[in-house]
Amino acid sequence: MGLGGFIVVALFLAIILYILATEKPFQTRKDTDSAGALLAGLPKVAVTLVKAPGEMTEALTPKWQADFTQKLQDQGYILLGDYSYASMLFFWARTFLSPDKKSALLMVNWVEGKDGGKVIIPNLEIYSFDGNSFILTACAQDGAAKLLTGANRPTPDQLSLHLKAVFAESAARPIIEEHQKRLEDWESKGAKVRELTKENVLPSLSKIFS
């Protein structure tokens, strides 16, 4: 091998050594090096829930949901109103406070289509909170499920998700019953479930949506 060959081999070995020194391909990566950790370090965008336009919710609320709203109120649920993200009118959440003050129930209506052909896809989300965490029982179509709680995607222990929309009271009732059972189990394991009020429901939701 001539001088030129030795130079090529030397350069090749130098490149390999540089890659090993800088990239460390054989080193076990810590969790903090994962993509999830990198994303967690990004600044969060504040999400504010505001009153949804009455003309939209009154015109588009499905009849079964209007009837169910009245039944829930008769059973002690407190209707807080219809809310959406500020400046976004493609959905609204009809929000209730449960009779035991331990859960926030949201009937979330996604608006699909244009004027004259709008279709409402209703989901159901029920949240309960303790000091540092929350549980969520939800029934949502596949696309909307990907948006649940935004950046703070719940863990499997926090979230019980049914991939289907809720088009009737008969579909909503089992989700409410399931959440109540999960809530009782959560408390039995030591969770100190936060008492919700009209004043703290929206801030609690906004915090995990952000």
Side-chain angles (χ1 to χ4, degrees):
M1 182 184 296
L3 179 60
F6 283 114
I7 293 175
V8 170
V9 172
L11 288 174
F12 182 70
L13 290 175
I15 292 172
I16 292 177
L17 290 174
Y18 175 77
I19 292 173
L20 292 174
T22 57
E23 298 298 326
K24 299 180 176 63
F26 303 112
Q27 178 176 312
T28 302
R29 291 182 179 271
K30 298 179 181 179
D31 291 340
T32 53
D33 293 332
S34 66
L38 291 174
L39 290 175
L42 295 176
K44 294 180 180 180
V45 178
V47 173
T48 303
L49 292 173
V50 299
K51 280 280 189 180
E55 60 272 16
M56 177 180 75
T57 60
E58 291 173 10
L60 297 178
T61 296
K63 184 180 184 304
W64 76 266
Q65 197 174 107
D67 295 339
F68 190 37
T69 294
Q70 185 58 56
K71 290 182 180 180
L72 287 174
Q73 290 179 285
D74 292 343
Q75 294 166 10
Y77 282 81
I78 300 172
L79 176 60
L80 301 180
D82 295 323
Y83 295 89
S84 64
Y85 296 159
S87 303
M88 294 185 184
L89 303 181
F90 57 85
F91 93 99
W92 78 92
R94 177 156 294 180
T95 305
F96 299 83
L97 181 60
S98 66
D100 61 6
K101 307 295 190 299
K102 294 181 179 180
S103 303
L105 184 151
L106 282 67
M107 289 191 284
V108 183
N109 298 286
W110 296 89
V111 183
E112 297 187 356
K114 298 181 179 180
D115 292 339
K118 288 183 178 178
V119 177
I120 306 302
I121 307 296
N123 300 331
L124 181 67
E125 302 170 15
I126 309 174
Y127 297 83
S128 294
F129 307 86
D130 73 354
N132 300 308
S133 187
F134 65 94
I135 58 171
L136 163 60
T137 308
C139 198
Q141 66 167 158
D142 189 30
K146 297 175 182 178
L147 300 175
L148 283 176
T149 73
N152 298 320
R153 182 70 177 176
T155 65
D157 289 338
Q158 291 174 309
L159 171 63
S160 176
L161 176 62
H162 300 265
L163 288 177
K164 59 182 180 180
V166 178
F167 287 104
E169 176 185 340
S170 59
R173 290 289 184 187
I175 304 302
I176 296 174
E177 294 172 3
E178 178 186 347
H179 185 83
Q180 194 60 36
K181 292 177 181 178
R182 292 184 67 216
L183 181 59
E184 293 170 0
D185 181 61
W186 198 33
E187 288 184 304
S188 71
K189 294 178 180 177
K192 304 298 182 183
V193 178
R194 185 189 313 162
E195 181 175 337
L196 297 174
T197 66
K198 294 180 181 180
E199 291 73 29
N200 70 16
V201 168
L202 293 184
S204 297
L205 291 170
S206 294
K207 183 177 180 180
I208 62 173
F209 289 163
S210 298

